[in-house]
Amino acid sequence: MNEVRPRTRIQRRNTGAILEAALAVFAAQGFRGATLDQIAEAAGLSKPNLLYYFPSKEAIHLDLLTGLLDLWLDPLRALDPEGEPVAEILAYVRRKLELSRDFPLESRLFANEVLQGAPRLAGVIAGELRDLVEAKAAVIRRWAEAGRIRPVHPQHLIFSIWALTQHYADFEVQVRLVLGAGEPDPFPAAEAHLEALFTRLLAP
Amino acid sequence: MNEVRPRTRIQRRNTGAILEAALAVFAAQGFRGATLDQIAEAAGLSKPNLLYYFPSKEAIHLDLLTGLLDLWLDPLRALDPEGEPVAEILAYVRRKLELSRDFPLESRLFANEVLQGAPRLAGVIAGELRDLVEAKAAVIRRWAEAGRIRPVHPQHLIFSIWALTQHYADFEVQVRLVLGAGEPDPFPAAEAHLEALFTRLLAP
DNA sequence: GTCTATAGACGGATAGAC
DNA sequence: GTCTATCCGTCTATAGAC
């Protein structure tokens, strides 16, 4: 199921180029919309050569998704129960927005997958992700009960953070078109806006 | 480019069945992922018969997208410059969340399209939608300047409303899996959460 | 209006030479 | 490891009988 173990320099370079090319194509077209021709072209390889490194289109896609998960969950993992509540949540928002800015393709790959029913990620979402959210929701609930933040539904607070930050990656085209040519980089204003939003929501 | 004009009852029934079936399939699989076989099957027609009513797969998709636009923009159009600011914005949030609850397929059709670069909607987004947002942003800005709501970036406020409400349709699978079987309908809690969020953000 | 049959193009994957 | 050639399945769309 997995790619050729990259022992040599050439193998490392080629599997890397394939994954990078595939990320761009899958993010822009979805799994079924992407073709091996496009990926091979973008990676600078022939189609059969690409299939020398990965056994199938599905295998490339799965490799990308699984490789993505840690990047995606780390910011939430870093939420520190011992920290100052509002500052911790604002830092989480900031880290998540940075992911949208620096890894928009990864965000869109993930969005494509969930949007189409998460056929390959349902297990991880119902397992690993759910457990992590549960744990951090408990932290947020304790903060609220201690009066250190205003009362809030913990899970829906987390959904809000995901929705608001990922929107700037997943709907980037719409954001830019609606703002127009005047404001080329929407992220600074987005960061200020989200900081104000969550501060007013949470600060007791 | 368009479908057979539905003069007879049979034609009206069949074009309706096709559009309904196509909405489900396009929403779940995206444009390229969807096949005419799936749509025909879901509509209870043969594939050639389907192509008697619409000239091409593309034409069905375009019909759905254009038909969707009014439904999608009406809640924002209804934002009343003469109303009470916080109540008006909360009502907009509520209407938008109702769309996510009652028309999740439409939301996912739209999300698929924007996510993949809005190839067919870029014109409308940069034109009609941008103008509408511009106009309503001006209203919000005046409210803020008059001290009737707290100062806020109008466009990013609107993006926030889109992101938060559409998340419950577009990422519905993830929301349900993370919440688990305990809470079968996430919408009541979502509505309460969003009402609190925007009230605290905006109430002066 | 609806069907069977099929054309014609494309996409994933493999064979086999080098 | 990389290539050319190609197999085979699937997909959109059309032809043509009824």
Side-chain angles (χ1 to χ4, degrees):
Chain A
M1 188 59 120
N2 268 4
E3 80 277 26
V4 169
R5 285 281 140 250
R7 302 184 189 284
T8 76
R9 276 185 305 276
I10 289 180
Q11 283 170 343
R12 230 186 310 276
R13 187 170 57 79
N14 279 347
T15 56
I18 291 168
L19 287 173
E20 190 182 329
L23 172 62
V25 176
F26 283 133
Q29 319 261 9
F31 179 74
R32 296 208 49 189
T35 72
L36 291 182
D37 277 312
Q38 293 173 299
I39 299 173
E41 158 98 34
L45 295 171
S46 69
K47 188 162 55 168
N49 197 10
L50 185 152
L51 289 167
Y52 167 80
Y53 289 98
F54 291 86
S56 67
K57 179 183 176 181
E58 181 75 39
I60 305 176
H61 190 245
L62 203 62
D63 236 57
L64 285 171
L65 280 182
T66 53
L68 178 61
L69 273 173
D70 275 336
L71 177 70
W72 229 233
L73 298 189
D74 273 343
L76 183 52
R77 286 206 187 91
L79 190 83
D80 182 5
E82 310 300 326
E84 200 284 308
V86 174
E88 282 295 322
I89 292 168
L90 286 180
Y92 174 44
V93 171
R94 205 171 304 115
R95 281 193 301 270
K96 205 74 178 55
L97 187 63
E98 279 162 11
L99 282 190
S100 282
R101 188 192 57 201
D102 299 337
F103 303 94
L105 297 179
E106 283 82 351
S107 184
R108 290 197 276 270
L109 179 73
F110 187 83
N112 261 304
E113 191 60 15
V114 177
L115 190 53
Q116 311 203 349
R120 302 162 185 88
L121 288 182
V124 200
I125 292 174
E128 203 178 343
L129 178 56
R130 184 175 193 279
D131 291 345
L132 177 62
V133 169
E134 201 82 16
K136 297 305 183 179
V139 172
I140 294 168
R141 194 174 297 110
R142 282 195 294 274
W143 285 341
E145 285 165 357
R148 305 183 67 192
I149 59 173
R150 291 223 244 172
V152 67
H153 191 305
Q155 273 96 344
H156 286 274
L157 170 64
I158 292 172
F159 293 154
S160 294
I161 295 171
W162 293 348
L164 287 166
T165 56
Q166 291 171 194
H167 186 82
Y168 288 97
D170 302 342
F171 289 72
E172 183 176 0
V173 174
Q174 178 175 255
V175 167
R176 290 186 187 276
L177 286 176
V178 166
L179 288 177
E183 200 170 351
D185 181 7
F187 282 96
E191 186 178 345
H193 171 72
L194 295 185
E195 184 177 330
L197 188 152
F198 284 106
T199 302
R200 292 182 196 169
L201 173 63
L202 297 171
Chain B
M1 189 56 120
N2 267 3
E3 80 276 24
V4 169
R5 285 279 141 252
R7 303 183 190 284
T8 76
R9 278 185 304 277
I10 289 181
Q11 283 170 344
R12 228 186 310 277
R13 189 170 55 79
N14 280 346
T15 55
I18 290 168
L19 287 173
E20 191 183 329
L23 172 62
V25 176
F26 283 133
Q29 320 259 10
F31 179 74
R32 295 208 50 186
T35 72
L36 291 182
D37 275 315
Q38 293 173 297
I39 299 173
E41 157 98 35
L45 294 172
S46 71
K47 190 163 50 170
N49 196 9
L50 186 152
L51 288 167
Y52 167 77
Y53 288 98
F54 290 85
S56 68
K57 179 182 175 181
E58 182 74 38
I60 305 176
H61 191 244
L62 202 62
D63 236 58
L64 284 171
L65 280 182
T66 52
L68 179 60
L69 273 174
D70 275 337
L71 177 70
W72 230 233
L73 298 190
D74 272 344
L76 183 52
R77 288 206 186 92
L79 190 83
D80 182 4
E82 309 301 325
E84 201 284 308
V86 175
E88 282 295 323
I89 291 168
L90 286 181
Y92 175 46
V93 171
R94 206 171 304 116
R95 281 193 300 270
K96 206 73 179 58
L97 187 62
E98 278 162 13
L99 282 189
S100 282
R101 187 192 58 202
D102 299 337
F103 303 95
L105 297 178
E106 282 82 351
S107 183
R108 290 198 276 269
L109 178 72
F110 188 83
N112 260 305
E113 190 60 16
V114 177
L115 190 53
Q116 310 202 350
R120 300 162 186 88
L121 288 182
V124 200
I125 292 175
E128 204 179 342
L129 178 56
R130 184 175 194 281
D131 292 344
L132 177 61
V133 169
E134 201 81 16
K136 297 305 183 180
V139 172
I140 294 168
R141 194 174 298 111
R142 281 195 297 273
W143 285 341
E145 284 166 357
R148 305 184 65 189
I149 58 173
R150 292 223 243 172
V152 67
H153 191 303
Q155 273 96 343
H156 285 275
L157 170 63
I158 292 172
F159 294 154
S160 294
I161 295 171
W162 293 348
L164 287 166
T165 55
Q166 293 172 192
H167 186 81
Y168 288 97
D170 302 342
F171 288 72
E172 183 176 1
V173 174
Q174 178 176 260
V175 167
R176 290 187 186 274
L177 286 176
V178 166
L179 288 177
E183 201 170 351
D185 180 7
F187 281 96
E191 186 179 345
H193 171 71
L194 295 186
E195 184 177 330
L197 189 152
F198 283 106
T199 302
R200 293 182 195 169
L201 173 64
L202 297 171

